Amino acid sequence: MKKKLLPLMLLGGMLSLFSLQGCVHDALEHETETVQLQENPLSYIRKEYVKDMDMISGKQIEWENARTFKHDNNVILISVPVKNENEKLIEELTFRIDGDKISGHLWKFESIDNFSAEDHRLGAHEIMKKMTGNVTYIAMEGSMRYQIQVVDGKIISDISSKHSGDGDMDSCGKKCHGSIEEVVITVPNPPTNPQPPTGPPIPPVVIIPPTTNPNDPCAKAQAGSQKATENSKTQKFNDAKQGILNNYNQNGKENGVGMGRDTETGELKATGVQELNANSGDISNPYAYPEADIHNHPGNTPPSAGDVYSMIKYYNNHPSFKTRYVVTPNGTVYALVITNPNLFESFISNVPPYQVPGFAPNFSGDMFADYADIPNRETGMAHVLDKYNSGIALTKMDANGNFKKINAKPNGNGGGYSQTPCP
């Protein structure tokens, strides 16, 4: 019997060894690719990332004229012009880099007038400001596609969108984010009384705390951020979050949970996990006082324009609803919080949603242009929500489990935007 088992044991050991070697090989191969990307991103993109992509097959890509953009000595964006003989067309490839991840896009600017040679050196937003025609933005991976109509530099409409509100203008990650050094202000102790004990007492020094600026974006979002943090530390929230991610791992779709109370001061409750569509859906919230909802974004993206508009619509019918959480497979948790519902009416009037039938709504006009012009999705969303007085703020859970509003800070000299979290 032992003689018969021995060959089987040897065979099992060999298979386990081969399997282990395969895992080690895969890990080393991924590590090698990451090193190649970080050391020479343009070379890696040219030789590996775009290899065998039908979208750019036959195009005259001018790799020698590529432009790189850095932040903290890290390459975060590469743009490469595409040569063509059509004077009414400019094509460009852009590659956003986040650590070991790349997202590539093809831009097409189709104008009714001829472009000049100088126009080919401009960025996307600058080109749009000078043209009348159509602009198409296509993901090199996946199905995301936007097409907008521009007249005299103004975006008139979003002609078509083959992706819903959970778009694919990928966030460049923490390496794109700026930071503010902590400033510690030390208040001196009151001076000791120099008078003898029998002399008249000297009044103590009174330090008047600084008043809060009501126009400070952090002050506006403070109450909503605190409430989002408070609810996120409950077991109901953690169970809902984990249930949503578990469902996503099984169905690959968006999934959601509604949260609310039966009475205004009652216990916070949560529904079961609800399966939604691939990139959108309505979450049922059956409570008398709906307070929040949670859903996931499969593409690791922050809250979308569709999340903003539907949140406003839901609040108008249920004023107790103040928070919309978005969780992602990579562990990031966002929360849209209402800061001033009195602004909703004017916001919708100034920036009405543009919606292609069957897809989630998107921003329109200049708000869409400003949003699309910032590569980092988090920064772009935070910027336009503030700039266009939406009455909603974008917050993000930090390492301590607290939600902090994201602020978009211009870098100056046309250098884009970086992030500064609220204290």
Side-chain angles (χ1 to χ4, degrees):
M1 181 67 176
K2 292 183 179 179
K3 291 182 179 181
K4 291 182 180 180
L5 289 175
L6 181 60
L8 292 175
M9 293 171 64
L10 290 173
L11 178 61
M14 293 174 65
L15 290 175
S16 299
L17 179 60
F18 292 155
S19 176
L20 177 61
Q21 288 177 336
C23 293
V24 172
H25 178 269
D26 290 343
L28 291 174
E29 186 178 64
H30 176 73
E31 182 176 343
T32 302
E33 290 180 352
T34 301
V35 171
Q36 291 174 349
L37 170 59
Q38 293 173 347
E39 290 183 348
N40 193 337
L42 180 61
S43 175
Y44 179 82
I45 290 170
R46 183 175 182 178
K47 295 179 180 179
E48 300 294 335
Y49 180 76
V50 302
K51 184 171 63 176
D52 301 326
M53 282 193 175
D54 294 336
M55 181 184 296
I56 61 174
S57 177
K59 292 186 180 295
Q60 300 180 58
I61 303 173
E62 299 181 310
W63 296 104
E64 66 278 6
N65 294 324
R67 294 179 295 177
T68 60
F69 303 85
K70 294 184 177 182
H71 182 75
D72 291 340
N73 294 322
N74 294 314
V75 176
I76 60 172
L77 179 70
I78 295 178
S79 65
V80 186
V82 179
K83 184 178 181 181
N84 65 74
E85 304 300 327
N86 187 344
E87 295 182 345
K88 292 180 168 55
L89 174 66
I90 292 179
E91 289 185 307
E92 183 178 70
L93 300 176
T94 60
F95 303 94
R96 298 189 182 97
I97 302 172
D98 178 14
D100 61 349
K101 297 179 181 179
I102 302 175
S103 58
H105 298 85
L106 170 63
W107 290 81
K108 291 187 177 184
F109 305 89
E110 301 170 278
S111 175
I112 63 173
D113 300 315
N114 291 345
F115 287 111
S116 67
E118 290 74 20
D119 292 337
H120 289 260
R121 301 185 181 94
L122 299 176
H125 205 187
E126 285 72 24
I127 295 175
M128 286 192 283
K129 288 180 178 178
K130 300 182 64 176
M131 66 174 284
T132 294
N134 296 333
V135 179
T136 308
Y137 177 90
I138 310 169
M140 299 178 72
E141 296 178 289
S143 60
M144 199 281 291
R145 175 190 179 99
Y146 282 114
Q147 187 176 53
I148 57 178
Q149 183 180 14
V150 181
V151 176
D152 293 331
K154 300 289 185 181
I155 296 177
I156 302 302
S157 65
D158 186 346
I159 300 173
S160 63
S161 172
K162 290 190 176 180
H163 207 283
S164 76
D166 180 19
D168 195 29
M169 298 164 74
D170 295 315
S171 167
C172 64
K174 292 183 179 178
K175 294 184 178 180
C176 295
H177 305 166
S179 61
I180 294 180
E181 295 182 359
E182 181 181 8
V183 177
V184 179
I185 300 176
T186 303
V187 179
N189 292 323
T192 57
N193 192 333
Q195 300 295 327
T198 57
I202 295 178
V205 175
V206 178
I207 301 177
I208 302 176
T211 58
T212 301
N213 181 0
N215 294 320
D216 177 21
C218 293
K220 293 179 181 179
Q222 184 175 8
S225 300
Q226 289 176 346
K227 190 62 176 178
T229 299
E230 177 185 327
N231 283 343
S232 72
K233 294 183 183 296
T234 64
Q235 191 62 43
K236 295 288 187 184
F237 176 90
N238 290 318
D239 290 345
K241 173 188 168 186
Q242 192 58 52
I244 287 171
L245 293 177
N246 290 343
N247 267 35
Y248 164 71
N249 289 331
Q250 296 176 7
N251 59 33
K253 300 179 180 180
E254 287 195 3
N255 301 270
V257 169
M259 303 182 72
R261 305 174 193 270
D262 293 328
T263 63
E264 192 171 0
T265 58
E267 176 191 3
L268 182 66
K269 297 183 177 182
T271 68
V273 178
Q274 305 166 36
E275 182 176 318
L276 308 177
N277 299 321
N279 291 290
S280 63
D282 295 324
I283 300 172
S284 174
N285 201 325
Y287 304 106
Y289 293 87
E291 192 163 308
D293 60 28
I294 318 169
H295 70 282
N296 67 296
H297 276 186
N300 288 318
T301 53
S304 64
D307 292 324
V308 172
Y309 285 115
S310 60
M311 185 178 189
I312 292 174
K313 182 178 180 181
Y314 196 81
Y315 172 88
N316 288 336
N317 294 319
H318 304 279
S320 59
F321 184 81
K322 301 290 180 67
T323 312
R324 169 156 287 168
Y325 298 97
V326 173
V327 300
T328 65
N330 66 11
T332 304
V333 185
Y334 302 95
L336 290 173
V337 300
I338 293 176
T339 58
N340 188 354
N342 294 327
L343 295 175
F344 289 167
E345 184 176 354
S346 60
F347 170 68
I348 296 296
S349 176
N350 294 330
V351 190
Y354 181 83
Q355 186 165 11
V356 176
F359 297 95
N362 211 326
F363 298 130
S364 60
D366 290 340
M367 187 173 184
F368 176 82
D370 288 343
Y371 177 56
D373 196 44
I374 300 177
N376 187 312
R377 289 290 303 278
E378 289 180 4
T379 311
M381 178 61 72
H383 171 62
V384 296
L385 289 179
D386 288 347
K387 179 178 179 179
Y388 291 91
N389 296 316
S390 66
I392 292 176
L394 175 62
T395 70
K396 183 178 179 180
M397 182 185 284
D398 64 13
N400 298 318
N402 300 317
F403 283 91
K404 300 294 181 66
K405 181 188 180 301
I406 298 174
N407 294 314
K409 175 184 176 183
N411 295 329
N413 300 321
Y417 291 81
S418 56
Q419 288 189 15
T420 57
C422 287

